[in-house]
Amino acid sequence: MTDAVVTALREIANRDLYQRNAFHITGLSTGVDRRTTRRRQQHVTAVLEAGADLETSGSTDPDELRLAFDRLLGDPRRRLVDEVFGEWGRPNGDCGCDVPVHQAHDEAVYAHAYAIELLIRPPDPSPDHRIGLLNWWNAAGVRWTEAMAHPQFWQHLRDRVLTLDDWQLAAGAIDQIRGELPATLTGPLLDLATTSDYPAQVAKILERWPVGGDSRQRRLLEAMRTQYERAEDATVALLRRLQQGPHQVDSVINELGRSVLPMFRRLQVFLPSEEHQRTLTLRDDIALVYHNGAVGIANDGWVHDPRITFLFDEAEGYAGSDETRGKIAANRAAAQQLKSQGSFRAQNAAHRQNAPQQWDAEGCGCAIGILVLVALGIFLLIKAFS
């Protein structure tokens, strides 16, 4: 079973790593004792209930404050986790740390918090902004790496365990923080990788992020698992809908654009199909949706429908493997051959969705029955992939 320390670290590993920190919200120092915390909670509650202005460097939101005080006065393991990402300030002599140790930690916190804030904002196209963003993230990574490398960093946390003096908080909590901290620090980037409207910017920063080393790729794959599953399930559902007939094509293609393509583009940025088989398979499946739409329309007799060209174009554009590209090209050629058999026009062309399979032969002097047999013979070659 995952320990409360590790659980707490994983829960906060997102873009709100610092904004939701209990010490940031309450305005209390990380060294505050329980009695002072309780008194502050009572004061804040009374002021807010009276509708008066609360003098604080933290939040004035009642719900945020309630949750933050509960975190500080509840499980000490969760409080210790918040201390890691709160401001340590100047040593008061209790922990035995040198001033530079606390300073290095706080500079890492400030740099990382500001870097996250910059990345959440809409991107500024100016070169200076892009360079500044990369520099802030690099500085945050370097400063956290340096802070964690100092033995007194960990000694400070051990001293805090002794000071909090709670049976739920064992000395082993420090080893758990040491093992999980790189993942927590990478968490905001992974959160933004799955949610940001500007994934390419996040990907560039994640590629250069110095914390976590070789485990970054594994964590990225874990973070993207839900994106894969949602995109794959949606694509399978769309392929099944196409089996109901060509009347489904327009709605399926619209749904593909709304629900699947945004997830695929995000996956392509972080886990490109040239390097990741699962992304390549999804890419081919998307091509298959377009392909089957084109084949469905053509097999229904509407070979002059302009949607066929569009759908085959899209299918060829998304196809990632040579096998898929080859099958699409073969079926496109078969459809083109059928179209070139004569100058045909489907009756009721303005109502293709429900039109009967009837054709006009214009100026060719051929019997419709013969033309239909030719069409059927050619289209026996056209198969929708399964």
Side-chain angles (χ1 to χ4, degrees):
M1 184 174 64
T2 304
D3 187 88
V5 170
V6 175
T7 300
L9 285 165
R10 292 176 180 176
E11 287 176 351
I12 65 175
N14 54 58
R15 66 176 71 191
D16 294 323
L17 178 61
Y18 300 101
Q19 290 299 316
R20 299 296 182 187
N21 181 271
F23 295 101
H24 174 76
I25 290 172
T26 60
L28 294 171
S29 69
T30 53
V32 67
D33 57 35
R34 286 183 62 84
R35 178 179 298 179
T36 304
T37 303
R38 179 71 68 184
R39 286 202 302 265
R40 179 61 179 173
Q41 181 189 39
Q42 292 169 348
H43 170 74
V44 167
T45 302
V47 169
L48 292 177
E49 288 179 350
D53 293 334
L54 179 65
E55 294 184 6
T56 179
S57 61
S59 174
T60 58
D61 182 273
D63 292 332
E64 283 189 345
L65 286 164
R66 176 179 54 79
L67 292 173
F69 278 114
D70 287 347
R71 192 174 178 95
L72 296 182
L73 293 169
D75 192 328
R77 293 167 294 188
R78 291 182 175 271
R79 173 193 165 129
L80 182 65
V81 166
D82 274 78
E83 288 191 21
V84 175
F85 302 99
E87 181 182 349
W88 288 2
R90 189 175 182 85
N92 59 11
D94 293 340
C95 63
C97 294
D98 296 330
V99 171
V101 174
H102 282 217
Q103 184 177 357
H105 167 269
D106 289 351
E107 287 179 355
V109 167
Y110 301 150
H112 198 198
Y114 186 61
I116 295 171
E117 180 183 338
L118 286 178
L119 191 54
I120 291 173
R121 297 176 186 172
D124 184 331
S126 67
D128 289 345
H129 173 80
R130 291 196 298 270
I131 294 172
L133 180 63
L134 292 172
N135 287 343
W136 271 105
W137 273 97
N138 181 67
V142 169
R143 288 174 184 175
W144 263 115
T145 300
E146 292 174 348
M148 291 186 292
H150 202 293
Q152 285 191 11
F153 176 93
W154 303 103
Q155 185 57 47
H156 173 88
L157 294 178
R158 292 188 187 93
D159 180 79
R160 293 300 301 152
V161 169
L162 295 175
T163 301
L164 292 171
D165 191 22
D166 190 289
W167 65 271
Q168 298 180 84
L169 195 56
I174 306 305
D175 291 332
Q176 292 170 334
I177 292 174
R178 188 194 297 270
E180 193 68 22
L181 186 53
T184 306
L185 294 170
T186 307
L189 279 174
L190 298 180
D191 177 26
L192 290 166
T194 61
T195 60
S196 174
D197 293 332
Y198 314 101
Q201 183 172 254
V202 179
K204 182 177 293 186
I205 293 170
L206 183 60
E207 183 180 3
R208 303 181 183 186
W209 179 240
V211 178
D214 296 338
S215 64
R216 280 201 313 275
Q217 186 71 7
R218 173 178 56 80
R219 292 176 183 134
L220 178 60
L221 286 167
E222 291 174 355
M224 290 296 183
R225 181 183 297 119
T226 301
Q227 298 279 319
Y228 272 124
E229 292 172 351
R230 289 171 55 198
E232 290 162 350
D233 290 347
T235 304
V236 169
L238 293 175
L239 286 168
R240 288 174 178 166
R241 280 176 54 187
L242 285 175
Q243 294 174 0
Q244 299 173 20
H247 64 282
Q248 290 283 349
V249 171
D250 287 344
S251 62
V252 163
I253 296 305
N254 287 336
E255 182 63 27
L256 181 72
R258 285 194 303 268
S259 64
V260 177
L261 295 188
M263 289 186 284
F264 166 74
R265 293 181 186 120
R266 185 181 301 277
L267 290 165
Q268 182 67 16
V269 168
F270 290 97
L271 303 168
S273 57
E274 295 80 7
E275 302 173 13
H276 296 272
Q277 180 61 44
R278 194 170 182 179
T279 310
L280 177 61
T281 300
L282 176 61
R283 181 174 180 170
D284 277 347
D285 287 346
I286 291 170
L288 176 59
V289 174
Y290 285 111
H291 164 273
N292 284 8
V295 168
I297 295 171
N299 272 334
D300 205 40
W302 307 95
V303 293
H304 291 282
D305 192 315
R307 290 177 298 172
I308 294 176
T309 298
F310 165 77
L311 292 170
F312 273 129
D313 285 346
E314 293 297 306
E316 290 178 347
Y318 277 100
S321 66
D322 291 339
E323 180 182 7
T324 301
R325 283 192 290 268
K327 290 179 178 179
I328 292 171
N331 279 355
R332 183 169 199 167
Q336 187 62 38
Q337 184 177 358
L338 177 63
K339 183 178 178 181
S340 66
Q341 295 303 307
S343 179
F344 291 89
R345 174 176 58 83
Q347 293 183 1
N348 304 315
H351 305 283
R352 293 186 179 90
Q353 296 290 343
N354 302 308
Q357 295 186 30
Q358 296 177 336
W359 299 83
D360 284 342
E362 299 177 348
C364 67
C366 300
I368 291 178
I370 295 174
L371 295 172
V372 170
L373 288 175
V374 172
L376 289 175
I378 294 174
F379 267 90
L380 286 176
L381 299 175
I382 300 181
K383 303 292 185 180
F385 303 152
S386 58

